[in-house]
């Protein structure tokens, strides 16, 4: 039915005077535009809640299953570097800076200018 | 007694024990460095458990012979006067971070004297916690004369020999917060400290840090602190803690400390000052109403607040905070609403921000003594 409606709108636009036909073109495919914009936003802003609380699939702590046995007596212990590193990592709250940020660059310095009272103020707060 | 939780590995050790203590849920931690050449708990972890034992009453702790399995059944948060020799493998900040979370919920106001390393490159220093955590606590209604964090003696890594006093009042309930507007930075303060080296070091740090920060704001004052004699600890060293204060009372901080004696290349005070100033810019870029080192502290207070909506705007969530959120879900069934806020095109206010919203669990400190 949405197609029908779109067509109706076009028709109506056509029936109106010449100038307004162009003015009404923005209404074309509104639904599609909206859904595209929505998807674009979804992609740009990752769902943090999912990232934080989503299924934490990493705790496959049953690595023992793949352990080979030598002569049915010894087990080959191969600590998986990545995983063990996390479980036995250093308990520290330090948040290392983003290595990509070079604070010698003028553009980097510019990116935080308005955080200071000396920077630009919003119109409603001047 | 409620069901216990089980974890593997020694990472996030403090989070687990602190949340266990606050929630009353017992916890079992297995496979602690079980594949390490030197398996089991380290001395600093044992020291941390002893500290928890001192501030609580009736805590049951069982450790197996190799130290790879820990069972912890929390007792009542008792508080009172506590003196603790903090193992020098980690600085006092490691122990303090946990105490800050526990202190308001104790039966008696806590007065803790912690001895050990006050400044090292791993953990937040006592100076940083003083400048940033105390203001966060005040926002939740934990304030008054009883709230104090003081470096009595400075002790640099690795030798230590420092002493810290932390006193904190108790609260029946915590106030919900609405921290959504960080405000603009009005001034920058800091402390450049040096012990057992020339006091000139601190001045050299100040000059180099100022040279960078002056591009942004004129109101900068960095104190120099040179403790002498029995107040200077056992190891030489110097460092800088910077803090940016906004109009709305947000404190963003960064710090940098000299390489501990015998642990690598020495660092020049000029380089240290400049690097620290850049770290502060990075912290300002992250922004938000809570310093990145205090994200977990604010979130735990929000969780344990009254049954009311609390909001806090944070900068990027640190990996430690993300893990803390997961642990809070385990212990308190608390899940935050997490929304990303992107700055608009023409705004020059650093990176993306994250708005955290939750309804407090309505936690009441029933053990608080009534006077």
């Amino acid at each position: 039915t949405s197609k029908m409606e779109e067509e109706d709108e076009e028709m109506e636009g056509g029936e109106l005077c010449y100038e307004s036909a162009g003015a009404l073109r923005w209404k074309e495919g509104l639904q599609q535009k909206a859904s595209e914009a929505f998807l674009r936003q979804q992609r740009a802003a990752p769902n943090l809640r999912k990232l934080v609380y989503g299924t934490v699939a990493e705790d496959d702590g049953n690595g023992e299953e793949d352990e080979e046995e030598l002569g049915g007596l010894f087990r080959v212990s191969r600590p998986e570097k990545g995983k063990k590193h996390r479980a036995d990592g250093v308990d520290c709250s330090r948040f290392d800076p983003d290595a990509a940020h070079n604070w010698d660059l003028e553009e980097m310095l510019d990116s935080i200018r308005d955080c200071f009272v000396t920077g630009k103020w919003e119109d409603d707060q001047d | 007694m409620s069901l216990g939780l089980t974890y593997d590995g020694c990472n996030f050790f403090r989070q687990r024990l602190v949340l266990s203590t606050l929630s009353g849920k017992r916890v079992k931690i297995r496979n602690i460095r079980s594949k390490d050449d030197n398996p089991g708990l380290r001395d600093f972890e044992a020291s941390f458990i002893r500290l928890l034992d001192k501030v609580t009453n009736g805590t049951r702790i069982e450790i197996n012979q190799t130290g790879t399995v820990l069972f912890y059944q929390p007792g009542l948060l008792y508080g009172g006067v506590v003196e603790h020799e903090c193992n020098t493998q980690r600085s006092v900040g490691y122990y303090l971070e946990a105490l800050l979370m526990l202190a308001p919920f104790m039966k008696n106001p806590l007065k803790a004297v912690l001895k050990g390393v006050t400044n090292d490159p791993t953990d937040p220093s006592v100076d940083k916690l003083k400048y940033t955590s105390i203001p966060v606590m005040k926002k939740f209604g934990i304030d008054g004369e009883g709230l104090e964090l003081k470096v009595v003696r400075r002790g640099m890594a690795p030798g230590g020999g420092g002493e810290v006093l932390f006193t904190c009042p108790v609260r029946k309930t915590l106030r919900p917060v609405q921290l959504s507007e960080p405000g603009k930075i009005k001034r920058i303060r800091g402390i450049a400290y040096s012990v057992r080296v020339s006091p000139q070091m601190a001045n050299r740090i100040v000059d180099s840090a100022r040279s960078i920060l002056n591009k942004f704001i004129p109101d900068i004052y960095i104190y120099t602190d040179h403790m002498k004699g029995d107040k200077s600890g056992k190891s030489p060293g110097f460092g800088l803690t910077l803090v940016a204060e906004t109009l709305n009372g947000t404190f963003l901080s960064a710090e940098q400390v000299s390489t501990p004696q015998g642990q690598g290349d020495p660092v020049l005070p000029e380089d240290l000052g400049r690097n620290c100033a850049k770290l502060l810019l990075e912290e300002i870029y992250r922004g938000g109403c809570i310093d990145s080192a205090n994200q977990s502290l604010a979130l735990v207070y929000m969780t344990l607040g009254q049954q009311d909506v609390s909001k806090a705007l944070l900068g990027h969530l640190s990996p430690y905070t993300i893990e803390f959120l997961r642990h809070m879900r385990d212990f308190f069934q608390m899940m935050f609403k997490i929304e990303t806020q992107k700055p608009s095109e023409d705004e020059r206010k650093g990176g993306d921000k994250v708005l955290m919203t939750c309804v407090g669990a309505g936690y009441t400190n029933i053990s608080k003594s009534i006077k």
Side-chain angles (χ1 to χ4, degrees):
Chain A
T1 50
S2 62
K3 245 183 192 167
M4 291 269 285
E5 277 165 21
E6 276 169 33
E7 275 172 18
D8 277 353
E9 274 175 13
E10 267 176 54
M11 292 279 279
E12 276 168 24
E15 278 163 30
L16 287 168
C17 62
Y18 189 71
E19 293 98 310
S20 60
L24 281 175
R25 193 160 294 156
W26 64 270
K27 282 192 173 180
E28 284 171 22
L30 263 187
Q31 196 181 1
Q32 199 194 343
K33 273 185 206 162
S35 67
E36 270 172 17
F38 178 75
L39 286 174
R40 216 181 311 125
Q41 210 179 354
Q42 282 272 298
R43 271 197 298 274
N47 189 344
L48 277 177
R49 193 183 163 91
K50 214 173 194 174
L51 280 177
V52 172
Y53 295 121
T55 44
V56 191
E58 286 100 316
D59 63 298
D60 42 310
N62 308 323
E64 284 92 335
E65 286 165 22
D66 338 312
E67 278 181 3
E68 304 157 51
E69 276 188 27
L70 286 179
L73 187 61
F74 299 108
R75 277 165 186 270
V76 184
S77 171
R78 284 202 192 92
E80 295 150 70
K81 282 283 178 220
K83 199 194 78 195
K84 269 294 148 197
H85 183 73
R86 273 196 54 204
D88 274 336
V90 181
D91 176 23
C92 175
S93 63
R94 173 172 290 271
F95 187 12
D96 291 319
D98 191 334
H101 292 167
N102 180 357
W103 290 103
D104 289 322
L105 296 177
E106 200 60 33
E107 60 185 280
M108 226 34 232
L109 300 181
D110 268 336
S111 71
I112 56 166
R113 290 241 182 249
D114 296 342
C115 295
F116 295 83
V117 284
T118 46
K120 200 177 78 190
W121 286 68
E122 289 80 26
D123 297 333
D124 56 328
Q125 285 182 22
D126 240 333
Chain B
M1 184 59 66
S2 51
L3 269 165
L5 289 154
T6 306
Y7 292 103
D8 282 294
C10 63
N11 209 349
F12 314 111
F13 189 72
R14 292 170 299 163
Q15 296 186 0
R16 289 163 182 170
L17 295 190
V18 163
L19 291 175
S20 161
T21 311
L22 287 170
S23 67
K25 285 182 182 159
R26 56 184 181 231
V27 68
K28 188 177 179 183
I29 303 176
R30 309 173 304 185
N31 294 321
I32 301 172
R33 301 190 182 90
S34 53
K35 296 197 175 160
D36 203 290
D37 291 343
N38 177 14
L41 291 167
R42 295 275 184 271
D43 290 345
F44 68 90
E45 283 155 340
S47 177
F48 179 74
I49 298 173
R50 275 199 298 278
L51 175 62
L52 283 186
D53 191 37
K54 280 181 189 171
V55 297
T56 55
N57 206 350
T59 298
R60 233 179 86 212
I61 299 154
E62 284 164 27
I63 301 170
N64 73 343
Q65 228 162 22
T66 48
T68 53
V69 181
L70 165 75
F71 173 80
Y72 179 86
Q73 183 176 307
L76 220 68
L77 277 165
Y78 192 78
V81 181
V82 171
E83 199 179 312
H84 189 68
E85 197 73 48
C86 298
N87 183 284
T88 53
Q89 288 171 347
R90 299 296 286 265
S91 75
V92 171
Y94 171 87
Y95 306 85
L96 256 181
E97 277 186 300
L99 278 191
L100 292 170
M101 290 182 181
L102 297 172
F105 307 105
M106 295 191 174
K107 182 178 169 71
N108 302 302
L110 181 71
K111 183 181 179 212
V113 176
L114 304 173
K115 292 178 180 170
V117 175
T118 55
N119 304 77
D120 80 349
T122 314
D123 292 294
S125 71
V126 179
D127 303 272
K128 177 164 177 156
L129 295 175
K130 177 182 170 174
Y131 281 128
T132 58
S133 304
I134 298 292
V136 169
M137 296 173 88
K138 286 180 180 166
K139 287 192 191 295
F140 287 87
I142 310 157
D143 48 12
E145 273 178 30
L147 184 65
E148 192 186 10
L149 181 53
K150 197 167 105 185
V151 180
V152 182
R153 298 167 212 269
R154 199 172 286 285
M156 305 295 291
E163 186 179 316
V164 175
L165 174 73
F166 172 54
T167 63
C168 180
V170 288
R171 288 287 176 267
K172 191 153 176 286
T173 52
L174 294 189
R175 194 194 289 160
V177 294
Q178 307 294 324
L179 307 169
S180 49
E181 184 48 57
K184 290 194 187 293
I185 293 162
K186 61 176 176 182
R187 60 183 174 212
I188 292 173
R189 293 289 177 266
I191 176 168
Y193 49 85
S194 54
V195 288
R196 299 187 170 269
V197 294
S198 156
Q200 197 54 35
M201 292 294 196
N203 297 333
R204 286 163 67 184
I205 296 172
V206 172
D207 290 342
S208 60
R210 282 191 79 108
S211 70
I212 289 183
L213 299 172
N214 260 333
K215 293 173 193 164
F216 291 98
I217 197 159
D219 190 355
I220 303 170
Y221 194 87
I222 302 170
Y223 299 85
T224 50
D225 168 284
H226 185 76
M227 285 191 167
K228 288 180 195 152
D230 64 339
K231 290 186 170 180
S232 64
K234 293 174 183 163
S235 297
F238 51 87
L240 172 65
T241 304
L242 289 171
V243 57
E245 185 185 350
T246 72
L247 292 166
N248 292 5
T250 296
F251 292 81
L252 304 170
S253 157
E255 65 179 349
Q256 192 87 121
V257 61
S258 60
T259 319
Q261 195 177 30
Q263 292 182 8
D265 297 330
V267 60
L268 280 175
E270 283 79 10
D271 292 341
L272 185 141
R274 267 192 301 274
N275 286 337
C276 188
K278 286 176 190 169
L279 284 178
L280 184 69
L281 299 183
E282 175 79 20
E283 185 63 39
I284 291 167
Y285 181 89
R286 284 174 186 156
C289 296
I290 306 283
D291 179 78
S292 67
N294 290 291
Q295 287 175 349
S296 310
L297 181 71
L299 293 174
V300 80
Y301 286 163
M302 282 165 74
T303 300
L304 298 180
Q306 291 169 36
Q307 274 190 326
D308 204 342
V309 178
S310 274
K311 276 176 198 276
L313 188 72
L314 308 181
H316 277 187
L317 298 178
S318 76
Y320 192 78
T321 305
I322 290 173
E323 209 56 46
F324 194 81
L325 285 166
R326 291 174 184 157
H327 280 107
M328 282 216 283
R329 180 186 53 180
D330 294 349
F331 283 96
F332 287 102
Q333 286 77 50
M334 172 63 71
M335 280 164 85
F336 280 77
K337 187 176 163 197
I338 309 172
E339 295 161 285
T340 315
Q341 287 190 355
K342 286 189 176 293
S344 59
E345 286 292 316
D346 56 336
E347 258 181 341
R348 298 178 298 175
K349 286 186 172 179
D352 295 355
K353 308 288 181 276
V354 183
L355 184 66
M356 306 291 291
T357 314
C358 80
V359 177
Y363 187 91
T364 322
N365 182 357
I366 42 166
S367 47
K368 176 180 183 289
S369 48
I370 297 154
K371 287 185 186 117

